[in-house]
Amino acid sequence: MSMSSEEVFDKVRASLVDALGVDDDEVTPEATLVGDLGAESIDFLDIVFKLEKSFGITIPREELSPEDILTNSQYVQDGLVTPEGMQVLKQRMPWANLSKFEQNPRVQDFGNLLTVGDMCNYVASKI
Amino acid sequence: MRWFWIDRFTEFVSGSHARGIKNVTLDQEVVDEYCPGFPFFPSTLIIEGIAQLGGILVAEHFDWDKRVVLAKIGNAKFHRQATPGDRMDYWVRLEGTQEHGARVTATSQIDGQPHAEIDLMFAFLEAGRFAEGSLFHSGDLAEMLRIMKLFDCGIGRDGQPLGVSDKL
């Protein structure tokens, strides 16, 4: 499927507006799903359903939520993702901008990492 | 009060769709007392009835292994009120499933006319979180579904009549 980045953004935005009840203008590429748009854990399942339907893709849970990495003592020490863990995260989520998280990689902050732009990049990598 | 918000399954095709009916009568407390002097069936309980229909559709699709709970009401439009004497015909379609949840779309009609349009999302309670084990006492769900005549009309994934699972 060929789709411009604007078309991807428009469809992602529509899914987020529908799932989260936010206004169109709140959904900017820089907005974080949790902090800025108020997504709760159950909303992510709803967002996944809406993106799958809108783009005709399948979204495995582990691709958007790398809990297996973040709960693995091999990759996390004292609540911080290790350099090795960061490498694994980058391999798993090449579409996400992890540069800010990498500066202080506290596991507890990971939940507020994803932005609308990250979601667009993710979807674009699937179509 | 028994928490039955559909009266009867009328069609059930595993993994696809289900139909059920709910009658509205004036002797029901929720109809008579919800808005005194103006009896109608509360919209919230229409959503609950459709969630029961859809939740069974989802749970059966996963071979009764998931603890299915209503997680989110994505959309709920009501075109009219259901008043005493009405029969609501519910129709639910399984739209999508994930490892941790499922989504259905549903409609309700009265006398063949649109009554409601509802989209629901279900989540599955994870093992080890919240309560352990089934959400029902052993045999209770099977008895409820028998009363609702699910096994009189249900079609399983193999195309054969839906049997009573040992897991119920």
Side-chain angles (χ1 to χ4, degrees):
Chain A
M1 185 190 303
S2 178
M3 195 176 287
S4 72
S5 56
E6 289 78 13
E7 289 173 310
V8 169
F9 177 76
D10 286 346
K11 293 180 80 167
V12 169
R13 179 170 58 188
S15 295
L16 294 174
V17 165
D18 196 15
L20 302 176
V22 293
D23 293 332
D24 278 14
D25 57 6
E26 293 181 80
V27 185
T28 63
E30 300 78 23
T32 58
L33 298 183
V34 173
D36 294 328
L37 300 184
E40 298 181 8
S41 58
I42 201 68
D43 293 320
F44 280 90
L45 185 58
D46 195 14
I47 292 167
V48 164
F49 277 127
K50 287 178 167 44
L51 292 177
E52 285 187 332
K53 183 180 181 184
S54 182
F55 290 95
I57 59 177
T58 299
I59 302 177
R61 175 186 168 92
E62 64 273 13
E63 290 187 3
L64 283 180
S65 180
E67 290 176 8
D68 55 322
I69 298 173
L70 299 174
T71 56
N72 187 333
S73 59
Q74 181 183 351
Y75 302 130
V76 177
Q77 290 177 1
D78 300 325
L80 298 174
V81 179
T82 64
E84 183 185 7
M86 283 303 306
Q87 285 306 116
V88 178
L89 277 178
K90 288 178 180 176
Q91 289 170 6
R92 173 78 64 84
M93 308 171 74
W95 41 269
N97 182 355
L98 299 176
S99 57
K100 188 176 179 182
F101 177 73
E102 196 169 11
Q103 293 170 15
N104 186 16
R106 298 195 305 171
V107 171
Q108 67 185 67
D109 295 336
F110 191 86
N112 192 30
L113 178 72
L114 292 182
T115 65
V116 175
D118 290 333
M119 297 302 290
C120 292
N121 292 337
Y122 172 72
V123 169
S125 75
K126 305 279 288 183
I127 58 178
Chain B
M1 180 186 294
R2 304 187 78 174
W3 201 247
F4 292 171
W5 298 112
I6 53 176
D7 290 333
R8 181 189 294 178
F9 283 83
T10 54
E11 185 177 354
F12 184 98
V13 178
S14 176
S16 174
H17 65 277
R19 294 181 193 274
I21 60 176
K22 177 66 188 163
N23 290 288
V24 182
T25 64
L26 192 54
D27 69 309
Q28 294 167 303
E29 286 185 5
V30 293
V31 173
D32 183 39
E33 296 183 3
Y34 185 62
C35 187
F38 301 91
F40 66 93
F41 197 86
S43 303
T44 47
L45 293 177
I46 293 167
I47 294 173
E48 172 62 25
I50 284 177
Q52 291 187 358
L53 197 62
I56 294 301
L57 185 65
V58 172
E60 193 281 332
H61 178 66
F62 284 91
D63 203 22
W64 310 105
D65 286 329
K66 302 290 189 182
R67 296 187 300 170
V68 181
V69 294
L70 176 61
K72 196 169 180 178
I73 302 165
N75 176 49
K77 291 180 182 171
F78 293 90
H79 301 288
R80 54 161 286 188
Q81 290 180 337
T83 55
D86 284 337
R87 187 184 85 179
M88 297 179 285
D89 294 305
Y90 296 157
W91 174 86
V92 179
R93 184 170 69 186
L94 183 59
E95 293 286 350
T97 62
Q98 270 268 345
E99 182 184 352
H100 294 275
R103 193 171 68 84
V104 303
T105 57
T107 62
S108 172
Q109 292 190 337
I110 297 173
D111 293 331
Q113 298 299 310
H115 165 226
E117 301 166 58
I118 296 168
D119 299 341
L120 301 176
M121 191 183 79
F122 297 93
F124 306 147
L125 297 182
E126 294 178 358
R129 299 184 70 178
F130 306 104
E132 289 288 351
S134 172
L135 296 174
F136 297 88
H137 293 301
S138 179
D140 281 3
L141 180 57
E143 177 64 3
M144 184 178 87
L145 296 177
R146 184 191 65 77
I147 291 170
M148 292 176 173
K149 299 187 180 298
L150 171 65
F151 305 111
D152 292 20
C153 65
I155 302 295
R157 69 191 62 182
D158 58 0
Q160 299 300 310
L162 187 68
V164 182
S165 170
D166 294 339
K167 298 175 182 176
L168 295 174

Coordinates of all heavy atoms in Angstrom, one line a residue, chain A residues 18-20 42-43 45-46 48-50 52-53 58-62 67, chain B residues 71-72 74 95-103 105 121-124 126:
Chain A
D18 N -10.9 9.3 17.9 CA -12.0 8.4 18.2 C -11.8 7.6 19.5 O -12.7 7.4 20.3 CB -12.1 7.4 17.0 CG -13.5 6.7 17.0 OD1 -14.4 7.1 17.7 OD2 -13.6 5.7 16.3
A19 N -10.6 7.1 19.7 CA -10.3 6.3 20.8 C -10.2 7.1 22.1 O -10.6 6.6 23.2 CB -9.0 5.5 20.6
L20 N -9.6 8.3 22.0 CA -9.3 9.0 23.3 C -10.3 10.2 23.5 O -10.2 10.8 24.6 CB -7.9 9.6 23.2 CG -6.8 8.5 23.0 CD1 -5.4 9.1 22.8 CD2 -6.8 7.5 24.2
I42 N -6.0 0.8 29.1 CA -7.1 0.1 28.3 C -7.2 0.8 26.9 O -7.7 0.2 25.9 CB -8.4 0.1 29.0 CG1 -9.3 -1.0 28.5 CG2 -9.1 1.4 29.0 CD1 -8.8 -2.4 28.8
D43 N -6.9 2.1 26.8 CA -7.0 2.8 25.5 C -6.1 2.2 24.5 O -6.3 2.3 23.3 CB -6.7 4.3 25.7 CG -7.8 5.0 26.6 OD1 -9.0 4.6 26.4 OD2 -7.5 5.8 27.4
L45 N -5.3 -0.8 23.8 CA -6.0 -1.9 23.1 C -7.0 -1.3 22.1 O -7.1 -1.8 21.0 CB -6.7 -2.8 24.2 CG -7.4 -4.1 23.6 CD1 -6.4 -5.0 22.9 CD2 -8.1 -4.8 24.8
D46 N -7.7 -0.3 22.5 CA -8.7 0.3 21.6 C -7.9 0.9 20.4 O -8.3 0.8 19.2 CB -9.4 1.4 22.4 CG -10.7 1.9 21.6 OD1 -11.1 1.2 20.7 OD2 -11.2 2.9 22.0
V48 N -5.1 0.1 19.2 CA -4.6 -1.0 18.3 C -5.7 -1.5 17.4 O -5.5 -1.7 16.2 CB -4.0 -2.2 19.2 CG1 -3.9 -3.5 18.4 CG2 -2.7 -1.8 19.8
F49 N -6.9 -1.7 18.0 CA -8.0 -2.2 17.1 C -8.3 -1.2 16.0 O -8.5 -1.6 14.9 CB -9.3 -2.4 18.0 CG -9.3 -3.7 18.7 CD1 -9.5 -3.8 20.1 CD2 -9.2 -4.9 18.0 CE1 -9.6 -5.0 20.7 CE2 -9.3 -6.1 18.6 CZ -9.5 -6.2 20.0
K50 N -8.3 0.1 16.4 CA -8.7 1.1 15.4 C -7.6 1.2 14.3 O -7.9 1.4 13.1 CB -8.9 2.4 16.1 CG -10.2 2.5 16.9 CD -10.5 3.7 17.6 CE -11.9 3.8 18.1 NZ -12.5 2.7 18.7
E52 N -5.5 -1.2 13.4 CA -5.6 -2.4 12.5 C -6.7 -2.3 11.5 O -6.5 -2.7 10.3 CB -5.8 -3.6 13.5 CG -4.6 -4.0 14.2 CD -4.9 -5.3 15.0 OE1 -6.0 -5.6 15.4 OE2 -3.9 -6.0 15.3
K53 N -7.8 -1.8 11.9 CA -9.0 -1.7 11.0 C -8.7 -0.6 10.0 O -9.0 -0.8 8.8 CB -10.2 -1.3 11.8 CG -11.5 -1.3 10.9 CD -12.7 -0.9 11.7 CE -14.0 -0.9 10.8 NZ -15.2 -0.5 11.5
T58 N -1.9 -5.9 11.0 CA -1.9 -6.7 12.3 C -0.8 -6.1 13.2 O 0.3 -6.0 12.8 CB -1.7 -8.2 12.1 OG1 -2.8 -8.7 11.2 CG2 -1.8 -9.0 13.4
I59 N -1.2 -5.9 14.5 CA -0.3 -5.3 15.4 C -0.1 -6.3 16.6 O -0.9 -6.3 17.5 CB -0.8 -3.9 15.9 CG1 -1.0 -3.0 14.7 CG2 0.2 -3.3 16.9 CD1 -1.5 -1.6 15.1
P60 N 1.0 -7.0 16.6 CA 1.3 -7.9 17.7 C 1.6 -7.0 19.0 O 2.3 -6.0 18.9 CB 2.6 -8.6 17.3 CG 2.6 -8.5 15.8 CD 2.0 -7.1 15.5
R61 N 1.1 -7.5 20.1 CA 1.3 -6.7 21.3 C 2.7 -6.3 21.6 O 3.0 -5.2 22.0 CB 0.7 -7.5 22.5 CG 0.9 -6.9 23.9 CD 0.4 -7.9 24.9 NE 0.8 -7.6 26.3 CZ 0.1 -6.8 27.1 NH1 -1.1 -6.4 26.7 NH2 0.5 -6.5 28.3
E62 N 3.6 -7.3 21.4 CA 5.0 -7.1 21.9 C 5.7 -5.9 21.1 O 6.7 -5.4 21.5 CB 5.8 -8.3 21.8 CG 6.0 -8.9 20.4 CD 4.9 -9.8 20.0 OE1 3.8 -9.8 20.7 OE2 5.0 -10.6 19.0
E67 N 7.1 -5.3 27.1 CA 7.2 -5.6 28.5 C 8.2 -6.7 28.8 O 8.8 -6.8 29.9 CB 5.8 -6.0 29.0 CG 4.8 -4.9 29.0 CD 3.4 -5.4 29.4 OE1 3.2 -6.5 29.8 OE2 2.4 -4.6 29.3
Chain B
A71 N -14.8 -3.4 28.6 CA -13.8 -2.5 29.0 C -14.0 -1.1 28.5 O -13.6 -0.1 29.1 CB -12.4 -2.9 28.4
K72 N -14.8 -0.9 27.4 CA -14.9 0.4 26.8 C -16.1 0.4 25.9 O -16.4 -0.5 25.1 CB -13.7 0.8 26.0 CG -13.5 2.2 25.7 CD -12.1 2.5 25.2 CE -12.0 4.0 24.9 NZ -10.6 4.3 24.4
G74 N -17.3 2.3 22.9 CA -16.7 3.2 21.9 C -17.7 4.1 21.3 O -17.4 5.2 20.9
E95 N -16.0 -8.2 15.5 CA -15.2 -7.4 14.5 C -13.7 -7.7 14.5 O -13.1 -7.6 13.5 CB -15.4 -5.9 14.8 CG -16.8 -5.4 14.5 CD -17.2 -5.3 13.0 OE1 -16.2 -5.5 12.2 OE2 -18.3 -5.1 12.7
G96 N -13.2 -8.0 15.7 CA -11.8 -8.2 15.8 C -11.4 -8.7 17.1 O -12.0 -8.5 18.1
T97 N -10.3 -9.5 17.1 CA -9.8 -10.0 18.4 C -8.3 -9.8 18.5 O -7.6 -9.6 17.4 CB -10.0 -11.5 18.5 OG1 -9.3 -12.2 17.4 CG2 -11.5 -11.9 18.4
Q98 N -7.8 -9.7 19.7 CA -6.4 -9.5 20.0 C -6.1 -10.5 21.1 O -7.0 -11.1 21.7 CB -6.1 -8.1 20.4 CG -5.7 -7.2 19.3 CD -4.2 -7.1 19.1 OE1 -3.5 -7.5 19.9 NE2 -3.8 -6.6 17.9
E99 N -4.8 -10.6 21.4 CA -4.4 -11.5 22.6 C -5.1 -11.1 23.9 O -5.4 -11.9 24.7 CB -2.9 -11.4 22.7 CG -2.4 -12.3 23.8 CD -0.9 -12.2 23.9 OE1 -0.3 -11.5 23.1 OE2 -0.3 -12.7 24.9
H100 N -5.3 -9.8 24.0 CA -5.8 -9.3 25.3 C -7.2 -8.6 25.2 O -7.6 -8.0 26.1 CB -4.8 -8.2 25.9 CG -3.6 -8.9 26.2 ND1 -3.4 -9.5 27.4 CD2 -2.4 -9.1 25.5 CE1 -2.1 -10.0 27.5 NE2 -1.6 -9.8 26.4
G101 N -7.9 -8.8 24.1 CA -9.2 -8.2 24.0 C -9.9 -8.5 22.7 O -9.4 -9.2 21.8
A102 N -11.1 -7.9 22.6 CA -11.9 -8.1 21.4 C -12.9 -6.9 21.2 O -13.1 -6.2 22.1 CB -12.7 -9.4 21.5
R103 N -13.3 -6.8 20.0 CA -14.2 -5.6 19.7 C -15.4 -6.1 18.9 O -15.3 -7.0 18.1 CB -13.4 -4.7 18.8 CG -14.1 -3.3 18.6 CD -13.1 -2.4 17.9 NE -12.9 -2.8 16.5 CZ -13.7 -2.5 15.5 NH1 -14.7 -1.7 15.7 NH2 -13.4 -2.9 14.2
T105 N -19.4 -4.8 17.1 CA -20.3 -3.8 16.8 C -21.7 -4.4 16.9 O -21.9 -5.6 16.8 CB -20.2 -3.3 15.3 OG1 -20.3 -4.4 14.4 CG2 -18.8 -2.6 15.2
M121 N -15.8 -2.7 23.4 CA -14.5 -3.3 23.4 C -14.5 -4.1 24.7 O -14.8 -3.6 25.8 CB -13.4 -2.3 23.4 CG -12.0 -3.0 23.2 SD -10.7 -1.8 23.2 CE -10.5 -1.5 25.0
F122 N -14.0 -5.4 24.6 CA -13.8 -6.2 25.8 C -12.4 -6.4 26.1 O -11.6 -6.4 25.1 CB -14.5 -7.6 25.5 CG -16.0 -7.5 25.3 CD1 -16.5 -7.4 24.1 CD2 -16.8 -7.6 26.4 CE1 -17.9 -7.4 23.9 CE2 -18.2 -7.5 26.2 CZ -18.7 -7.4 25.0
A123 N -12.0 -6.6 27.3 CA -10.7 -6.9 27.7 C -10.7 -8.3 28.4 O -11.7 -8.7 29.0 CB -10.0 -5.9 28.6
F124 N -9.6 -8.9 28.4 CA -9.5 -10.2 29.2 C -8.7 -10.0 30.4 O -7.5 -9.5 30.4 CB -8.8 -11.2 28.3 CG -9.4 -11.4 26.9 CD1 -8.6 -11.7 25.8 CD2 -10.7 -11.3 26.7 CE1 -9.2 -11.9 24.6 CE2 -11.3 -11.4 25.5 CZ -10.5 -11.7 24.4
E126 N -6.1 -10.7 33.1 CA -4.9 -11.6 33.1 C -4.9 -12.5 34.3 O -5.4 -12.1 35.4 CB -3.7 -10.7 33.1 CG -3.6 -9.8 31.8 CD -2.3 -8.9 31.9 OE1 -1.6 -8.9 32.9 OE2 -2.1 -8.2 30.9

